[in-house]
Amino acid sequence: MKASLTRRTLITTTAAAGVLALSACGGNVAGGSAESGEAFPSGPITLTVGQDAGGSTDRIARAIADGMAEDLGIAVPVVNKAGANGALATKEVAAMEPDGQNLILLNASLITITSLTVPEGEAVTLDDLDVIKGLSQDDYVLVASKESGFETLADIQESSDPLNFGTTGVGTGSQLAQAVLFAQAEIDGTAVPFDSGSPALTAVMGDQVAVSTIQLGEALPQIEAGTVTPIVTFAKERNEFLPDTPTAIEEGYEVPVSQYRALAAPKGLSEDAKARLVESVEATQATESYQEFNQENILAPWEVTGEEVVEEWNALAEQYKALIEEYDISLSGE
Amino acid sequence: MDFFNPVLNGFGVVLDPQNLLYCLMGVVIGMLIGVLPGLGPAATIAILLPLTYGIDPVTAIIMLAGIFYGAQYGGTITSVLLRLPGEASSVVTVFDGYVLAKQGKAGTALGIAAIGSFIGGTVAIIGLTFLAPLVASFALDFGPPEYTALALVGILLVATISGGTKIKALIAAAVGLLLATVGRDVFTGAERFTFSNLSLADGIDFVPIAMGLFGIGEILYNLEERHRAVSAPAKVANVWPSRADLRKSSGAIGRGSVLGFFLGILPGGGATISSMVSYAVEKKRAKDPSRFGKGAVEGVAGPETANNAAATSSFIPLLTLGIPANATMAIIFGALLIHGITPGPQLISEDPELFWGVVNSMYIGNILLLILSIPLVGLFVKILRVRAAILAPITALITILGAYTIRNSMFDVLLVVLFGALGYLMKKFGFEPGPLVLAFVLGELLESNLRRSLLVLEGDVSGFLTRPISATLLVIFVLVAVGPMIKSALARRQRDTTRVSADS
């Protein structure tokens, strides 16, 4: 604790003097020496994130990179390469040398949902990647504005007014979850896409749209403040942070949509390198600071093996495809 | 008294030496990154976030907030000296700021910008102190139809504020609107002008366009000019604005403060529109509008005041409603959550020390920035004494580096070069890059909100007129559009009557 405190002070001082130099290397300075002599890792491991700095995906990447740097004794810089919902970064990393020195943080929605809305050649599959480990699960919650008066799904069904629902964009879990739920519940609604979670939530708060589906971490402060009303969550089980809100599945609808994150590398990783990477991720997940990070960010641990990630995501992709075909849903507008 | 106690306690928090130190660190870091286009406050704060884990939440947020408003000061410097607007909200500063610098009055421009920023920032903090809960709901009342109307007003102003010929400004603006459509359609996922290139899927970023058109375009043009005529290096005279400059700008600063405060509350685009509106208002009010674009001090004072006031008031929705108004606020929101504090309606009552600590730190931070600016203005204007042969490559390097850092992409560097070539050609043929860049920014706002409005209103356009705010904005739109015609008609009639009376 003392050592890490000194390190922190040191970094803070360096930050004042040379913020630019620090930002160039991702602000991730590894402490400690260690396992030299081993073939892997041969140098810093770069963790690429397909989203902008500061969002929840980016924060997860930085938390995991911190822990891995500590465990591996090397620097693990995080590099943000936003574009096409993460497809740009994922394709770039997938094409790299499979030496374990380059990793990518994956969002499940890119594989399971976005692929349903983009042309064939642009869809990202897990075929070119070696998934190392599952990280965490982020639930979606359907929230209603105060003015709408909705408190349960039944209220929405009974309302005769046309329903406008906000989504966080095309090809997102927010869009899919609502489209499938409203189709199954025979609610006639118009999807209004926003750029991301924050404007979609703001629109519900101002009653510009009656309901919206947002990631729980983003919506929870407003739910607790009572400015929006939670209707249902979309995970398989009730969320521990929102125990009084039923899941859509409990209400009788088959809508298992969550955001999952996992760590992956280009396909063709050597057994040794993969084992070492898995070990360091598991070591990170065991630390108290990482577990606290999950708690603070309303993330449920989803620490399954790489093989399970592939199996589950591919199954979800199939399931979503079948659902939108069954209910004749078009994710790219009518 | 009940109201003032927590406010005064807040000052107690700020004057704690540690907090003062972090406030100073924040504004200095902010100013430095503001100078580098591309490396914005959002990315910097994200990177520095882990360093704040070990310190008090109040201290951490004071520093992060300082980075944000410090960056607004820094951004002015490159706009004025090098014609590099790092953010959409400082594009209009270039119009007169860079001309002033070329006339050897860089110090005047930077000085007036610093004073305006200080006043604008301070007025907005006072507003934040007394009006925050009252005006916060303003942000919620702004739905898609209101943003549509606001963007329409903004696009109309683009034509008004540019120098040069109207028709060329309109052509440039049309190109800007076209560029805004590039990317995957956010409503249907359809590809538009992406040529199957994933790098274009999210559209083009503001920075490569602005850096290319303004920065590289100017450098190329100057290189050509130097071959024709040997121009003397810019004289750097009067480092500080004169009393006359201050008097001329005082009205602009006052109006800019109020405009910036209110428009800054709006999430998305508020700061940019406030600087444009301020410039347009000053140009309209001026006795001789033709001075604008040729080095009018008010043209720097107004927009710079407005964008700083807007930056400060963008804290209102975050601290009182828990809605982040821009990317930087989103990260500060995340930082608060990490520190176990939930920004939202209960923040003032549950955590008054944090709320007032952060708000009051901004008074101090603004004073620190003003004090820092005074000696720095003298230092920065010396940049202009550097020979073009040395300055040009350095500017090009900063430009390209800035574009690269946005998303670590070589593609964006290529874009800067392409837009640089376009900027050179535009300058050569008398087109201004300003209208293009501003229309590009507003085009995105207009298109997505118009389509969103039509979805929300179920295709019923009369909805725009039944909503009070959008109706008001549309009336303003009509007035601004038709106003000049009426004015010239009136002027003609007056001329006629005076002639008649002279005859009799």
Side-chain angles (χ1 to χ4, degrees):
Chain A
M1 186 64 206
K2 181 132 197 283
S4 89
L5 210 70
T6 356
R7 204 182 101 214
R8 194 170 279 145
T9 333
L10 188 72
I11 296 173
T12 317
T13 332
T14 329
V19 57
L20 299 173
L22 194 64
S23 65
C25 68
N28 206 316
V29 184
S33 61
E35 302 121 90
S36 50
E38 266 190 53
F40 178 83
S42 61
I45 294 179
T46 306
L47 172 53
T48 305
V49 179
Q51 277 72 25
D52 281 319
S56 51
T57 312
D58 176 64
R59 287 209 298 274
I60 294 169
R62 287 176 199 274
I64 211 85
D66 263 340
M68 289 178 73
E70 198 88 23
D71 181 67
L72 291 166
I74 44 138
V76 184
V78 173
V79 174
N80 300 85
K81 230 169 222 175
N85 200 10
L88 190 66
T90 311
K91 292 209 161 193
E92 217 175 276
V93 173
M96 285 178 180
E97 204 56 40
D99 54 7
Q101 300 297 132
N102 284 288
L103 305 177
I104 174 90
L105 199 106
L106 289 176
N107 272 334
S109 59
L110 175 67
I111 313 288
T112 59
I113 306 171
T114 311
S115 56
L116 299 173
T117 65
V118 296
E120 193 94 349
E122 283 180 26
V124 179
T125 66
L126 292 177
D127 298 347
D128 310 326
L129 295 164
D130 257 335
V131 182
I132 291 162
K133 182 92 183 151
L135 298 176
S136 48
Q137 173 185 349
D138 205 349
D139 285 350
Y140 290 99
V141 59
L142 176 71
V143 292
S145 72
K146 284 273 141 194
E147 287 83 351
S148 71
F150 297 148
E151 280 176 6
T152 63
L153 205 52
D155 292 343
I156 304 179
Q157 274 172 311
E158 282 157 21
S159 162
S160 54
D161 294 335
L163 180 78
N164 287 320
F165 60 92
T167 76
T168 59
V170 172
T172 60
S174 160
Q175 183 200 17
L176 178 80
Q178 289 180 107
V180 174
L181 173 69
F182 295 148
Q184 290 181 0
E186 292 176 350
I187 296 168
D188 197 15
T190 309
V192 184
F194 289 87
D195 301 332
S196 62
S198 165
L201 180 60
T202 309
V204 178
M205 290 167 68
D207 198 34
Q208 309 291 347
V209 291
V211 297
S212 228
T213 289
I214 318 277
Q215 290 192 343
L216 186 60
E218 220 163 335
L220 198 61
Q222 297 299 341
I223 292 172
E224 283 172 350
T227 48
V228 296
T229 317
I231 308 286
V232 288
T233 57
F234 287 98
K236 287 173 190 149
E237 275 143 35
R238 282 199 185 202
N239 191 291
E240 57 173 312
F241 297 97
L242 212 58
D244 300 330
T245 305
T247 65
I249 295 172
E250 280 175 55
E251 301 273 296
Y253 304 103
E254 189 206 347
V255 204
V257 184
S258 280
Q259 180 67 293
Y260 301 95
R261 267 99 177 189
L263 199 64
K267 188 91 183 169
L269 214 53
S270 74
E271 282 302 317
D272 288 352
K274 185 170 179 187
R276 186 68 191 94
L277 285 169
V278 171
E279 189 191 322
S280 84
V281 176
E282 283 174 350
T284 306
Q285 289 172 336
T287 60
E288 204 173 306
S289 61
Y290 180 79
Q291 288 163 8
E292 263 172 35
F293 165 84
N294 273 341
Q295 277 282 328
E296 279 156 5
N297 286 276
I298 328 286
L299 297 165
W302 183 68
E303 291 158 4
V304 301
T305 64
E307 290 71 32
E308 287 171 293
V309 171
V310 177
E311 207 174 296
E312 196 148 336
W313 287 7
N314 285 340
L316 281 174
E318 286 300 316
Q319 192 182 5
Y320 295 157
K321 202 170 170 199
L323 277 171
I324 63 170
E325 271 164 19
E326 183 184 346
Y327 293 98
D328 196 21
I329 296 166
S330 160
L331 290 183
S332 47
E334 275 85 343
Chain B
M1 210 56 221
D2 282 350
F3 174 76
F4 282 103
N5 266 337
V7 180
L8 292 176
N9 288 343
F11 275 110
V13 173
V14 185
L15 295 174
D16 175 85
Q18 193 197 358
N19 290 344
L20 275 179
L21 180 68
Y22 274 90
C23 185
L24 179 68
M25 259 169 57
V27 296
V28 170
I29 294 173
M31 221 169 164
L32 288 176
I33 57 136
V35 175
L36 278 189
L39 187 65
T44 310
I45 292 177
I47 290 157
L48 293 182
L49 204 52
L51 304 180
T52 68
Y53 290 170
I55 52 180
D56 237 22
V58 187
T59 314
I61 306 301
I62 285 176
M63 179 177 89
L64 299 181
I67 294 178
F68 176 60
Y69 56 78
Q72 313 293 321
Y73 270 74
T76 316
I77 297 165
T78 47
S79 298
V80 169
L81 298 182
L82 304 174
R83 207 169 182 251
L84 290 177
E87 272 179 274
S89 62
S90 46
V91 169
V92 291
T93 310
V94 173
F95 298 170
D96 285 287
Y98 184 67
V99 179
L100 279 168
K102 275 195 140 176
Q103 297 168 350
K105 292 185 199 154
T108 311
L110 288 177
I112 212 82
I115 294 170
S117 297
F118 170 74
I119 296 175
T122 307
V123 167
I125 307 163
I126 295 171
L128 177 53
T129 306
F130 294 100
L131 303 174
L134 286 177
V135 293
S137 63
F138 183 55
L140 291 182
D141 291 336
F142 253 74
E146 284 74 23
Y147 277 109
T148 309
L150 189 66
L152 271 177
V153 174
I155 287 174
L156 184 66
L157 291 181
V158 168
T160 320
I161 61 182
S162 65
T165 57
K166 277 267 145 59
I167 188 78
K168 282 185 174 172
L170 286 175
I171 292 171
V175 175
L177 290 176
L178 181 68
L179 287 172
T181 62
V182 173
R184 202 176 271 167
D185 180 10
V186 285
F187 290 78
T188 64
E191 307 284 332
R192 304 196 302 191
F193 307 113
T194 59
F195 309 103
S196 303
N197 186 339
L198 267 186
S199 296
L200 283 172
D202 287 351
I204 306 171
D205 198 88
F206 162 80
V207 172
I209 293 189
M211 296 294 113
L213 290 181
F214 283 104
I216 303 283
E218 178 77 10
I219 292 171
L220 290 175
Y221 185 77
N222 284 346
L223 282 178
E224 192 190 63
E225 285 290 286
R226 280 199 319 131
H227 278 287
R228 266 197 232 122
V230 186
S231 64
K235 269 187 292 198
V236 180
N238 65 333
V239 173
W240 201 239
S242 66
R243 212 168 269 264
D245 290 327
L246 286 174
R247 201 167 29 222
K248 234 189 282 177
S249 311
S250 60
I253 289 175
R255 286 183 289 275
S257 303
V258 177
L259 272 171
F261 174 73
F262 282 104
L263 289 172
I265 299 167
L266 302 176
T272 308
I273 294 182
S274 76
S275 64
M276 287 176 61
V277 173
S278 163
Y279 190 88
V281 167
E282 295 318 318
K283 195 174 172 182
K284 274 249 138 61
R285 288 184 59 98
K287 285 204 193 86
D288 176 17
S290 66
R291 281 193 307 117
F292 279 74
K294 293 179 190 147
V297 184
E298 309 96 291
V300 175
E304 275 304 308
T305 308
N307 69 24
N308 247 58
T312 306
S313 66
S314 65
F315 277 90
I316 292 180
L318 178 77
L319 293 177
T320 56
L321 298 173
I323 332 173
N326 51 46
T328 313
M329 289 302 128
I331 297 172
I332 293 184
F333 183 93
L336 283 164
L337 286 180
I338 286 172
H339 283 283
I341 290 154
T342 309
Q346 297 128 316
L347 185 68
I348 303 183
S349 52
E350 274 180 10
D351 215 330
E353 194 180 281
L354 178 111
F355 182 87
W356 294 113
V358 172
V359 170
N360 293 345
S361 79
M362 294 189 217
Y363 288 106
I364 311 281
N366 261 292
I367 295 171
L368 288 175
L369 280 168
L370 187 66
I371 297 172
L372 282 172
S373 300
I374 294 168
L376 284 180
V377 165
L379 189 69
F380 279 125
V381 293
K382 291 213 175 79
I383 290 174
L384 294 176
R385 292 220 183 102
V386 177
R387 270 211 325 262
I390 297 166
L391 191 60
I394 293 175
T395 313
L397 188 73
I398 294 177
T399 310
I400 284 168
L401 200 69
Y404 180 76
T405 51
I406 303 244
R407 43 178 197 177
N408 302 307
S409 141
M410 278 312 286
F411 184 79
D412 287 340
V413 173
L414 183 69
L415 281 180
V416 171
V417 175
L418 288 177
F419 280 106
L422 179 65
Y424 161 74
L425 290 174
M426 284 174 71
K427 179 123 189 178
K428 212 167 156 61
F429 293 104
F431 289 92
E432 292 288 324
L436 193 160
V437 173
L438 292 171
F440 168 75
V441 174
L442 295 172
E444 242 171 294
L445 195 66
L446 176 68
E447 192 211 334
S448 56
N449 280 298
L450 177 62
R451 291 171 70 184
R452 224 169 264 148
S453 307
L454 292 174
L455 287 172
V456 170
L457 302 171
E458 325 239 315
D460 180 10
V461 270
S462 67
F464 282 104
L465 298 172
T466 52
R467 298 168 63 111
I469 301 178
S470 66
T472 314
L473 285 169
L474 288 173
V475 169
I476 295 175
F477 175 79
V478 172
L479 286 181
V480 176
V482 186
M485 284 187 245
I486 299 174
K487 212 169 162 187
S488 65
L490 281 177
R492 210 174 305 129
R493 211 164 76 195
Q494 200 157 29
R495 231 183 3 251
D496 290 346
T497 47
T498 40
R499 202 163 39 225
V500 169
S501 58
D503 285 350
S504 61

